[in-house]
Structures are given as C-alpha cells and as structure tokens.
Amino acid sequence: MSPILEAHEVEFSYTATTPVIRGVSLQVERRKLSALVGANGCGKSTLIRLFAGLLDPVRGAILFEHARLRSFARRDLAKRIAYVPQATPLAFPFTVLEVVLTGRSPYTPRFRFEDARDRERAMEALATVDAAHLAARRVTELSGGERQMVAVARALAQEPQCLLLDEPSAALDLKHRAALIRTLTRLRDAQGLTALVVTHDLHLIDPPFDHVFALRQGRLLAEGRPEEVLTDAVLGEVYEDPHVRTRRVDGRTLIWSN
C-alpha cells in the first residue's frame, strides 16, 4: 500500500541556530491509524504542522500522494487534509453547528452560504463524535473537552482523506479519550480514513493503532507496529527515563514508570 503522506529529509527551525526537526524521513500509510509519540519539546507538534502545510520545511520535502504539499491550493488541500490543533480558540458565542459548518468552507463557493447538504454533513460529523446534542449550544458555554470534540467534528466535516490531530485527548477524561480512539478506528475501518495522532496516552495506542513513530530531539528514533516501538528500550530512550517498563498482556502493551 502506497503512502498518503511522506517526509523526505525534512528539517525545520524557528531560529537560525536551533533546529527543531532534524532530517526526518517517514511515510504515513493510507487507511492506517498512526501515533506520533515523544517527550515534550521533541518536535511532535512542529512535525504535524509541517504535514498540515502550516509550516514550510527549511530543507527536504513534504509530499501528499507523491506531490509536494506546497503545490496544492489552500482550498484543495483542505479537502484532503484536516488538522486539529492542541487547543482551538473560540472566543465568539457562535453555536456549535455554526462552528462545525466552517469545516465546509472548502466546498462552499465564495460569497455564498452553506446549503442543506453542508448542514447535513456538519450534523453527521457531530453525530460521529457523539456531540449532536450540542449543536444549538454556544461554544463559549462548553467545557474544554466538549470544545475539543467540536474541533474534531469540524475537521471531519471537511471530509478529508487524512486527519492530523495534535494531542486531541488532552482535555478529555478517560471515557472520552477511549471513545475518540474508537471513533478514529471506526472511521479507518468503515471509510478508509488515514489519521496521524500526536499523543501522550501511550496506554491507548496498543492495540488500536497500526503504526507508531517515536521522536527524540527532533529525530525519528524508531517506528513500527505498536508492540515493536512500545518497549522498555525504545521508550526509555525516547523519554530519557531508565525507569520505563512495559509488558504485553492479552495482546495489549501495559506501560508504567517505576
């Protein structure tokens, strides 16, 4: 199966002296659920923003379906890739449905309003994340976790081929974290959605995820199936913690630190 996203010797720096991403090459396979893990400050959020086309690499190239990302017009790219940041500032009292409808903008002709089909797609996206009951609520009235689910619904309303999520479960409780992973798994299986997820929830990766990328100080340290990456040796080096321990139990990897 050919990759949908590729990084080829990508380097990026916010300053002239401190590289954040250092020669990263990787391939995100289509119709797979992939996790991007690593310690705080290792470059995970920067890398996913490069994949979203929000940053341009200093060196190397980001490809979508073998074409350079920068070759796509913004509206065309938004029909292919949707990005959910760690936090979405929602300062104005729009309704949840109005916010999710903004995800339909790549399909709406300029100077025209959303139509019935757009509203239907927006409500389907809300239902997918079990948030349809929030449609008429003001986003300023929602909890942080509810806002995050609305952000995911807005991304799904774009009908993307690839979904990029930067710590989407950070504001969610355990129940809703697990529910989000189940939703992504269902979309992968039923619709062929590709998802790349930055996460610190290592205990939720195995078995739902197909692939794991591990970064350390801006470099790709390891990649492979969850059981190949979620090991004492790899995680100990990734997090610079010799006390990390893992154990495989009933097809699932348990992780803790002594």
Side-chain angles (χ1 to χ4, degrees):
M1 188 175 293
S2 62
I4 192 169
L5 275 175
E6 301 171 72
H8 291 280
E9 293 295 325
V10 167
E11 295 189 13
F12 181 82
S13 177
Y14 292 104
T15 69
T17 58
T18 308
V20 178
I21 300 297
R22 309 167 185 236
V24 169
S25 294
L26 60 82
Q27 297 182 337
V28 178
E29 298 293 337
R30 65 182 67 246
R31 302 184 181 91
K32 299 291 185 181
L33 185 55
S34 300
L36 182 59
V37 304
N40 291 335
C42 72
K44 302 185 301 298
S45 294
T46 298
L47 183 58
I48 208 164
R49 293 183 72 199
L50 284 161
F51 277 129
L54 300 175
L55 300 173
D56 289 324
V58 175
R59 294 185 181 85
I62 302 289
L63 307 183
F64 178 84
E65 293 190 326
H66 310 300
R68 283 182 176 263
L69 211 61
R70 63 180 62 181
S71 69
F72 291 91
R74 176 54 58 182
R75 284 171 65 90
D76 291 336
L77 189 61
K79 295 177 182 179
R80 294 167 169 83
I81 298 175
Y83 165 70
V84 180
Q86 290 183 26
T88 304
L90 298 170
F92 296 98
F94 296 117
T95 68
V96 166
L97 180 57
E98 288 171 335
V99 170
V100 176
L101 275 170
T102 63
R104 299 297 301 166
S105 59
Y107 303 93
T108 305
R110 292 181 180 178
F111 311 114
R112 290 182 59 182
F113 293 104
E114 299 87 0
D115 59 18
R117 182 178 182 276
D118 293 319
R119 288 189 289 274
E120 180 182 355
R121 291 291 181 270
M123 286 303 301
E124 288 175 354
L126 281 168
T128 297
V129 298
D130 197 24
H133 63 287
L134 299 175
R137 293 272 303 276
R138 301 289 177 181
V139 291
T140 49
E141 303 170 354
L142 302 182
S143 69
E146 288 171 330
R147 289 189 183 199
Q148 192 65 358
M149 297 309 288
V150 171
V152 174
R154 180 171 61 184
L156 292 176
Q158 292 177 222
E159 298 184 82
Q161 297 171 252
C162 185
L163 186 60
L164 305 175
L165 303 104
D166 190 357
E167 296 189 42
S169 60
L172 304 179
D173 59 28
L174 181 59
K175 173 184 175 181
H176 289 92
R177 290 181 184 190
L180 175 60
I181 299 302
R182 287 195 298 270
T183 296
L184 295 176
T185 303
R186 185 172 70 252
L187 291 170
R188 175 199 63 191
D189 296 341
Q191 301 179 19
L193 180 71
T194 302
L196 177 63
V197 184
V198 172
T199 183
H200 287 296
D201 291 324
L202 302 183
H203 61 290
L204 295 179
I205 291 176
D206 188 18
F209 282 75
D210 303 294
H211 203 83
V212 180
F213 301 101
L215 288 186
R216 182 177 183 274
Q217 297 180 2
R219 300 184 187 277
L220 183 64
L221 178 71
E223 67 167 300
R225 296 189 305 274
E227 64 270 24
E228 297 172 332
V229 177
L230 303 180
T231 65
D232 298 11
V234 173
L235 295 182
E237 187 172 356
V238 166
Y239 293 99
E240 301 182 27
D241 182 358
H243 304 292
V244 173
R245 296 292 180 267
T246 63
R247 179 178 297 173
R248 293 280 295 172
V249 178
D250 297 330
R252 180 183 296 274
T253 302
L254 305 181
I255 303 168
W256 69 97
S257 181
N258 290 332

